[in-house]
Amino acid sequence: MSYTRIIPALARAGSGNLRRIASSSRLRSTVASTQPDPAESEQQPIESCTVVKKPALVDLISQTSTAPALHTGTISIDFENTQEAYRSKDTLELLRSLLVFKLCTYDFLVDKNKELMDLSKALLGQKLFEWLMKMTFYGQFVAGEDQESIRPLIQKNRAFGVGSVLDYSVEEDLTQEEAEKKEMDSCVSEAEKESPGLDHREKKYQAHRRFGDRRGGVISARTYFYADEAKCDHHMETFLNCIRASGGSSEDGFSAIKMTALGRPQFLLQFSEVLVKWRRFFSFLAAQQGKAGMEALEQKLELEQLQDSLTKLGVAPKDDIDNWFTGEKLGSSGTIDLLDWNSLINDRTRISNLLLVPNMETGQLEPLLSKFSEEEERQMKRMLQRMDVLAKHAEEHGVRLMVDAEQTYFQPAISRLTLEMQRIFNTNKPVIFNTYQCYLKEAYDNVSVDVELSRREGWLFGAKLVRGAYMYQERSRAAEIGYEDPINPDYQATNYMYHRCLDYVLEEIGHNRQANVMVASHNEETVKFTLERMNDMGLCPTENKVYFGQLLGMCDQISFPLGQAGFPVYKYVPYGPVNEVMPYLSRRAQENRGFMKGSQKERLLLWNELKRRLLSGQILYRPAY
C-alpha cells in the first residue's frame, strides 16, 4: 500500500500542486551502496574539508561504527568556553537564565506553575503580570508576541550564527473533559458511531476516551484538538503567517507545522491503520518465502512466488495480479521489495475506496470501514488541500517546512503525507522536512526506507531527528489497551537508535550530497558524535547538509559555539501573546525540571561566565552586532 498512487486520487479534488507527482522513472540502487558514482562525482565536485577535532567518544558508536580514526581537524569547538557561548547575551540575560533554571528545580513551583501564574495575574493585574513573565519565563523561552516583536531577537541570533525555526505556540486551554470530548467526536467515524464493533479496526488505531486528552504525559509537544473545519482553516492561516514571518526575518529559516491542526484526525487514524496493515501483509508474504526477521529493505520477494501466493489467497483475480507486476517500475529484477510493494495500489476516485486492507486470515481485500459519509470524504480532501497550500507558500517564500512528529497511531499517515510533499517540492532544494522519533523501535526502518525511496526517485531527502516526545503516554496507552509497546526499552536503546539513524543519513549525505538532516538534540555527546562523523566523511559545515537544532532559551553553550564556527544551527523559536502561550510555558518549566536536575552543567557555565565578566570588568557587557 503506498502513497505513490494514493495521492493522485486524493488530489483531484484539491489544488493543482498535489497532482504533480514526481517523475515515474526510478533510479535503481542498492541499500549497501556506499561509493559515489564516478560520473556523479565529476558533476558535483566537493572540496575536501576537515570539520572538527574532538576526542573519540560515543558508542553507537563502538557497537556498530567501523569508521576510521579521526583526522586532525582545523576547527576546534570548545563547548565550555563561556565567553564564546554567551557572546550574544548581556549580563541581565545571564541572570535571568540562572533564575529561571533554578526555579525549574523546585518541584512545588513546577507542579503548581499554572495555579501560581493564575494567582500572580489576579494579584498583580494584567500589565504587571506580563512584565513579570517577560522578565522571567516568557522572556527566557518565548521570542515575542507577534512577527514584528520577534524580529530583533531573530536578527541578533542570526548575527551570531544561529537561525530560527518559527513556531506560533498559542494553544487552547481546555479542561481534560473538553479535550476528551473533542477527541472522541473527531476520531470516531459515523459508521462506528452507528454500529460500534462491526468494522475490522485494531485497538491501537481506535479512539479511547481514557487517552482522549493527548496532552497527558507530554511536556515537550504542542497538542491540537479538532473542533470544526473553520478551526482548521484558522490554523492554516496561522501557519501561513508563520511562514511569512520566517521569510521576512531570515534568509534561510524554517517554519514548524503539526498535521493534526489541519484536519479531522479520524483520517490520520484510518490511513495509518491501512498503511500498517499493508506493510504487515508484505512481512507475512516475506515470511512465507523464508525471509522473516530481515531489515525492511533487505526483504526481497521472488516475483513468481509472490504472484502464486496472492492468487492462492484470493487477493484479486489472477489477471489483475499479473498486471500489477508488468509496469516499467516493477519486476525488472525478478524481485519485489517494500518500496515496489508500496506502489501497487490502484488509482481510485474516492478516498474511501483507497482505505482497503488485506484480511490476514482470508486474504481478501476489505474496506476498513463499512461506509463513509460524504462529509467525511470532503474533510479528508480539505486536509490535503491545506497541506498543499502551506508547502507551496513555503516554497514561494524561501522557507523550509518542518512537519512535526506526533503519536504512533497518527504517525504512519503523517509520514506518508509528508513524504509525498517531499516528492513534489524537494526536487531542486529541500523544502519539506519530516521528523523521525528515534525512541521508536521501527525508527531505523522508517528512515532507511524513506532515504532509499528518495535515492531511487531523485528527490532531496530532508529529516529532523529527535528522540521523541510521547514516551510515557505511548507506553501507558499500549499497556492499558493491549498492543505492543512501540517504544525502545530504555534510554540506552534510544540513544543507540538515534545514532544509528543519524549515521545512516550522514552516510547518504557522504555518498551523494542529496540528503539533509537536522540533529535536533540538547545532548552534547550526540552533537560531538555528529561532528566526528562529519569529520570522518569530509563533510563541510558550509555545505549546509547537516543542521543542528535546540530550543530557544536552552543549551546556548551548544548552539552559539556551533553557529560561530560556521555550522548551520537553529533555535526553535516560539512566539505568541503572553496569556495564550501559558500552556507552552508550563511545559517548558516541566521539561527543564528534569533537564536541570539531571545536569547542572548549564547553570555552572552561566555562573562561570558571570564571574569571568565580573573579574575582567565586563559586568556591563552588551553584545555588539
Side-chain angles (χ1 to χ4, degrees):
M1 172 84 176
S2 164
Y3 217 62
T4 320
R5 307 284 180 87
I6 288 175
I7 284 297
L10 299 185
R12 274 192 279 272
S15 55
N17 282 319
L18 281 174
R19 296 191 194 124
R20 294 191 283 117
I21 298 302
S23 169
S24 61
S25 61
R26 277 184 168 181
L27 303 176
R28 291 288 171 182
S29 61
T30 60
V31 179
S33 173
T34 58
Q35 297 300 319
D37 181 84
E40 183 181 72
S41 298
E42 291 176 4
Q43 294 169 1
Q44 296 182 334
I46 300 295
E47 184 179 341
S48 61
C49 171
T50 307
V51 177
V52 65
K53 179 181 179 181
K54 281 289 169 187
L57 49 114
V58 189
D59 272 338
L60 154 80
I61 297 173
S62 61
Q63 295 179 58
T64 62
S65 177
T66 57
L70 295 179
H71 309 297
T72 300
T74 57
I75 300 175
S76 179
I77 299 180
D78 181 1
F79 292 116
E80 298 190 9
N81 183 333
T82 61
Q83 185 173 2
E84 291 301 315
Y86 301 115
R87 185 182 294 276
S88 66
K89 310 293 181 186
D90 62 35
T91 301
L92 280 178
E93 289 177 291
L94 298 185
L95 289 169
R96 182 186 65 197
S97 297
L98 274 170
L99 172 64
V100 169
F101 292 155
K102 182 62 178 176
L103 292 175
C104 287
T105 64
Y106 294 113
D107 288 337
F108 173 78
L109 293 179
V110 174
D111 292 336
K112 301 294 183 181
N113 70 83
K114 188 176 185 304
E115 292 87 344
L116 290 171
M117 285 191 284
D118 289 341
L119 178 62
S120 298
K121 190 192 307 184
L123 293 175
L124 299 175
Q126 185 65 33
K127 288 188 177 180
L128 274 178
F129 172 74
E130 289 189 6
W131 176 85
L132 177 64
M133 295 305 297
K134 288 179 179 179
M135 292 298 292
T136 54
F137 287 91
Y138 182 94
Q140 182 70 21
F141 300 121
V142 182
E145 300 200 50
D146 53 40
Q147 60 191 69
E148 289 302 318
S149 63
I150 67 176
R151 189 169 296 174
L153 175 65
I154 292 173
Q155 292 175 344
K156 182 178 80 166
N157 285 352
R158 181 72 272 172
F160 289 92
V162 176
S164 299
V165 182
L166 293 194
D167 186 9
Y168 190 68
S169 295
V170 169
E171 303 176 34
E172 283 187 285
D173 193 9
L174 302 174
T175 66
Q176 180 176 333
E177 292 74 18
E178 289 171 334
E180 289 174 354
K181 184 179 187 307
K182 284 192 172 187
E183 187 75 350
M184 297 306 294
D185 288 344
S186 62
C187 288
V188 180
S189 69
E190 292 302 316
E192 290 173 297
K193 291 174 183 176
E194 292 173 6
S195 305
L198 291 184
D199 291 305
H200 303 284
R201 303 294 308 282
E202 290 191 9
K203 294 178 180 178
K204 180 175 181 178
Y205 300 100
Q206 296 180 48
H208 297 267
R209 184 171 292 278
R210 163 74 175 80
F211 297 94
D213 187 353
R214 287 182 277 113
R215 300 169 300 183
V218 178
I219 61 173
S220 57
R222 184 171 68 263
T223 303
Y224 288 96
F225 293 94
Y226 181 86
D228 50 39
E229 293 297 295
K231 190 70 171 178
C232 294
D233 287 335
H234 174 74
H235 291 152
M236 183 184 70
E237 288 300 324
T238 298
F239 292 148
L240 289 173
N241 289 335
C242 195
I243 290 169
R244 286 191 284 268
S246 183
S249 303
S250 174
E251 295 178 359
D252 58 354
F254 286 86
S255 186
I257 68 169
K258 267 195 180 321
M259 215 159 281
T260 48
L262 298 176
R264 189 180 179 91
Q266 171 197 337
F267 174 45
L268 297 176
L269 276 175
Q270 293 163 351
F271 191 19
S272 291
E273 184 172 358
V274 168
L275 291 167
V276 168
K277 284 184 173 179
W278 274 92
R279 185 162 175 171
R280 194 180 298 155
F281 190 42
F282 177 85
S283 298
F284 167 76
L285 295 169
Q288 286 190 332
Q289 296 192 14
K291 298 178 181 179
M294 294 181 178
E295 290 183 354
L297 285 175
E298 293 178 354
Q299 290 181 323
K300 298 182 187 296
L301 306 186
E302 299 299 325
L303 184 56
E304 291 186 8
Q305 294 182 47
L306 174 60
Q307 288 172 300
D308 289 343
S309 295
L310 293 175
T311 301
K312 290 176 182 177
L313 286 169
V315 169
K318 186 177 187 306
D319 289 344
D320 287 350
I321 294 173
D322 290 343
N323 290 334
W324 286 357
F325 302 101
T326 57
E328 60 185 57
K329 299 180 187 179
L330 301 173
S332 59
S333 64
T335 61
I336 296 294
D337 67 10
L338 182 60
L339 295 179
D340 293 326
W341 175 260
N342 281 347
S343 68
L344 293 179
I345 188 168
N346 294 328
D347 293 356
R348 300 173 191 270
T349 56
R350 285 177 58 85
I351 299 174
S352 53
N353 291 341
L354 297 166
L355 300 181
L356 296 173
V357 295
N359 185 311
M360 298 290 284
E361 296 177 0
T362 66
Q364 297 293 318
L365 293 180
E366 300 173 345
L368 190 68
L369 296 176
S370 57
K371 66 176 181 178
F372 282 79
S373 70
E374 291 296 325
E375 178 57 24
E376 287 171 335
E377 186 90 12
R378 287 191 291 269
Q379 288 168 352
M380 295 176 193
K381 292 174 182 175
R382 290 189 198 114
M383 175 183 280
L384 297 166
Q385 291 167 359
R386 293 179 187 112
M387 289 166 47
D388 182 63
V389 169
L390 291 172
K392 183 178 179 181
H393 209 67
E395 183 179 51
E396 290 173 350
H397 284 76
V399 174
R400 287 162 290 187
L401 205 60
M402 189 79 74
V403 182
D404 284 340
E406 304 193 45
Q407 285 87 350
T408 54
Y409 42 90
F410 293 138
Q411 192 57 42
I414 292 170
S415 290
R416 286 294 179 182
L417 296 170
T418 304
L419 183 147
E420 183 58 29
M421 288 196 293
Q422 289 180 313
R423 278 175 148 155
I424 296 168
F425 294 98
N426 285 14
T427 54
N428 298 316
K429 59 181 180 180
V431 176
I432 311 297
F433 278 64
N434 198 6
T435 301
Y436 297 86
Q437 299 190 102
C438 294
Y439 66 7
L440 297 178
K441 295 173 183 176
E442 61 181 20
Y444 180 79
D445 280 348
N446 293 338
V447 170
S448 60
V449 166
D450 289 354
V451 167
E452 174 66 9
L453 184 63
S454 72
R455 187 187 300 161
R456 290 185 186 183
E457 296 185 342
W459 45 270
L460 301 175
F461 177 81
K464 178 179 71 171
L465 298 183
V466 299
R467 280 176 169 79
Y470 304 99
M471 181 177 70
Y472 299 110
Q473 182 189 102
E474 293 269 16
R475 281 208 168 123
S476 177
R477 189 178 189 270
E480 184 160 329
I481 294 173
Y483 57 87
E484 182 183 354
D485 183 357
I487 309 296
N488 286 317
D490 51 38
Y491 181 79
Q492 183 178 0
T494 293
N495 206 42
Y496 170 82
M497 181 66 78
Y498 192 101
H499 289 103
R500 189 183 182 204
C501 293
L502 173 58
D503 207 49
Y504 186 89
V505 181
L506 291 176
E507 289 282 359
E508 179 68 11
I509 296 171
H511 170 65
N512 61 21
R513 261 61 177 192
Q514 295 298 296
N516 304 262
V517 64
M518 175 175 281
V519 183
S521 176
H522 295 144
N523 186 309
E524 189 174 313
E525 297 305 302
T526 292
V527 173
K528 290 178 179 178
F529 168 73
T530 308
L531 299 180
E532 289 183 355
R533 295 298 289 132
M534 291 179 69
N535 187 40
D536 294 342
M537 298 174 189
L539 298 178
C540 295
T542 53
E543 291 182 55
N544 288 329
K545 298 295 183 183
V546 182
Y547 317 100
F548 297 89
Q550 291 86 37
L551 289 168
L552 182 71
M554 296 176 63
C555 290
D556 288 344
Q557 80 277 9
I558 292 177
S559 307
F560 285 90
L562 282 171
Q564 290 161 30
F567 290 87
V569 59
Y570 293 83
K571 287 290 194 183
Y572 240 73
V573 177
Y575 68 100
V578 175
N579 282 338
E580 297 181 51
V581 297
M582 291 305 213
Y584 177 85
L585 292 175
S586 177
R587 290 204 315 273
R588 287 286 75 80
Q590 294 178 58
E591 184 172 11
N592 273 281
R593 170 170 56 184
F595 185 77
M596 289 300 160
K597 284 189 173 182
S599 171
Q600 297 184 4
K601 181 174 181 178
E602 188 160 1
R603 284 164 55 201
L604 177 62
L605 291 175
L606 286 164
W607 275 120
N608 288 343
E609 175 59 11
L610 278 173
K611 287 187 286 186
R612 189 199 66 79
R613 290 185 184 182
L614 180 62
L615 294 174
S616 62
Q618 294 182 308
I619 197 65
L620 298 179
Y621 169 82
R622 296 185 65 83
Y625 59 96

